[in-house]
Amino acid sequence: MQRRQAVIGLGLAATGLGLGVGLGGVARAQQPIVIKFSHVVAPNTPKGQAADYFKKLAEERTQGRVKVEVYPNSQLYKDKEEMEALQLGSVQMLAPSLAKFGPLGVKEFELFDLPYIFDSYEELHKITLGPIGKDLLKKLESKSVLGLAYWDNGFKDMSANKPLKNPADVKGLKMRIQSSKILDMEMRAIGAIPQVLAFSEVYQALQTGVVDGTENPPSNFYTQKFFEVQKAMTQTQHGYLGYAVIVNQKFWDGLPADIRKTLDQAMAEATEFANKVARKDNDDAVEAVRKSGKCQIVALAPAERLAWKKAMVPVYRQAQSRVPKELMDAVFKATGFNPEKL
Ligand code: LMR
């Protein structure tokens, strides 16, 4: 009999999962539950490494009853497609950037895209590891999606073919952004022309001049080799980019309880791992870009950083059409940040 791997989608086939012994008492190999985990970044990024770590823990601890297939670098799906694939059950697990939940109909996640909203990972964790983060994940349930965890990446720098010391330097530049309306507002606030592109298309768009610049944490900037096609990365650190790990809800609910418990624990440990490596990976990436000799790293003086902040503050007022004011206020209360007091 040909062995066939069960790719468990919407209607999880409960039969066969617990059958160690087949007809007539003859031992029969179990078919593993397959979790396809698709993502768009390189394996040597915080998200890429955490996905691989989750795979290792999940497979070891379930003793092979679960097989996690990780597909990095948009191999399987690009940004927009992966969300659809998850809802259809063609893929079971994703970790999209928080800036990509708007098209799913949960625009509150764009909160994380607000400029300068978190000054440090410590401030960020007050939200992602606290009650506000938990409530936000709950909002996904109406979309048949379950939010399991937040994984860190880091703070974004802006790049172009010139240093961007002042917000005025970005004026008129075509800047690639993720599919977030807040990021659109942010770029318009500084006079740039925002252009939404899938992550997998950015390198070529920079190379051919379809866009002039972009924003991303250094770990993505380095691993996607944007330094080969950008002359300067300015340490604007003007916003945060991180992830929510999500699963198809029916799939997750249909898992045998012991497996789900083991996977929940593996996810908790993968999350700790992700959040531990993120900071160092981003620091290392800055050095790696510097060492490449191809792209200048431009630091900002405190007065220049303040000018950037002031230029972006108007976004907070406009953003209330996407992120409820009460939610923003709750975040300000938790972190101590107040855009009106800059
Ligand atoms: C981007 O599109 O810039 C990021 O979302 C990529 C990622 O997943 O880190």
Side-chain angles (χ1 to χ4, degrees):
M1 193 177 76
Q2 218 190 359
R3 275 187 64 195
R4 188 173 58 86
Q5 256 182 5
V7 176
I8 312 292
L10 287 174
L12 176 71
T15 50
L17 292 173
L19 297 182
V21 179
L23 293 174
V26 180
R28 183 165 70 82
Q30 286 181 350
Q31 293 180 332
I33 299 168
V34 176
I35 297 178
K36 290 189 179 192
F37 187 162
S38 170
H39 69 78
V40 300
V41 293
N44 56 337
T45 53
K47 173 163 67 178
Q49 292 174 73
D52 291 344
Y53 190 60
F54 171 74
K55 169 186 168 68
K56 175 176 151 26
L57 295 182
E59 291 181 353
E60 274 172 14
R61 303 229 179 121
T62 60
Q63 289 160 341
R65 285 170 72 200
V66 169
K67 188 167 184 299
V68 182
E69 294 176 354
V70 180
Y71 298 92
N73 265 328
S74 311
Q75 246 169 47
L76 203 55
Y77 296 109
K78 296 203 277 188
D79 295 337
K80 195 165 164 284
E81 303 158 0
E82 67 174 18
M83 283 290 196
E84 288 159 7
L86 185 83
Q87 286 181 298
L88 290 170
S90 318
V91 66
Q92 287 70 41
M93 189 174 276
L94 307 173
S97 141
L98 300 163
K100 293 177 184 169
F101 284 79
L104 189 69
V106 197
K107 49 191 186 189
E108 289 88 341
F109 277 85
E110 291 177 6
L111 160 81
F112 292 94
D113 300 326
L114 284 162
Y116 296 100
I117 189 153
F118 306 113
D119 250 350
S120 63
Y121 285 103
E122 288 71 27
E123 280 188 16
L124 164 78
H125 290 161
K126 287 187 182 158
I127 305 309
T128 52
L129 304 179
I132 298 176
K134 212 171 179 179
D135 284 354
L136 275 173
L137 290 182
K138 276 211 159 313
K139 291 197 185 298
L140 296 170
E141 288 173 22
S142 64
K143 309 291 170 194
S144 312
V145 168
L146 204 62
L148 299 183
Y150 292 96
W151 284 357
D152 288 353
N153 188 340
F155 295 88
K156 292 177 289 182
D157 290 331
M158 271 199 209
S159 68
N161 280 324
K162 60 176 186 179
L164 304 172
K165 285 270 204 182
N166 294 292
D169 296 333
V170 150
K171 203 158 186 248
L173 295 188
K174 284 174 279 163
M175 298 294 283
R176 180 269 171 173
I177 56 164
Q178 304 173 80
S179 60
S180 155
K181 292 282 187 273
I182 303 261
L183 296 180
D184 187 283
M185 291 171 195
E186 165 204 283
M187 287 299 177
R188 289 183 197 282
I190 50 177
I193 305 153
Q195 199 149 329
V196 176
L197 285 177
F199 189 58
S200 55
E201 290 161 9
V202 182
Y203 182 93
Q204 208 186 359
L206 290 169
Q207 190 180 37
T208 55
V210 167
V211 290
D212 303 305
T214 186
E215 50 159 35
N216 239 289
S219 58
N220 279 345
F221 191 83
Y222 178 66
T223 54
Q224 293 299 315
K225 300 192 171 23
F226 295 161
F227 62 88
E228 293 179 351
V229 286
Q230 293 276 265
K231 292 207 169 73
M233 181 176 93
T234 303
Q235 296 181 302
T236 46
Q237 300 276 288
H238 61 280
Y240 172 72
L241 189 155
Y243 312 104
V245 185
I246 55 177
V247 285
N248 178 295
Q249 185 162 24
K250 278 199 189 129
F251 166 74
W252 203 252
D253 290 347
L255 289 171
D258 63 324
I259 295 264
R260 197 169 50 238
K261 195 165 162 225
T262 306
L263 294 181
D264 279 337
Q265 181 57 32
M267 183 52 64
E269 290 176 40
T271 300
E272 267 184 42
F273 174 87
N275 296 355
K276 206 159 78 193
V277 298
R279 192 184 306 227
K280 183 171 182 315
D281 275 11
N282 279 298
D283 289 348
D284 290 351
V286 174
E287 288 321 305
V289 171
R290 205 190 303 275
K291 273 205 200 114
S292 76
K294 294 185 173 163
C295 177
Q296 185 189 355
I297 306 283
V298 182
L300 292 182
E304 288 163 342
R305 189 169 156 83
L306 188 61
W308 272 97
K309 280 191 179 181
K310 288 196 164 156
M312 287 183 170
V313 155
V315 170
Y316 278 84
R317 267 165 245 140
Q318 283 170 276
Q320 287 172 25
S321 60
R322 307 284 299 172
V323 180
K325 184 163 183 329
E326 312 80 70
L327 177 57
M328 277 194 224
D329 286 343
V331 173
F332 299 156
K333 197 162 168 225
T335 63
F337 174 70
N338 186 342
E340 302 297 339
K341 289 205 178 135
L342 283 174

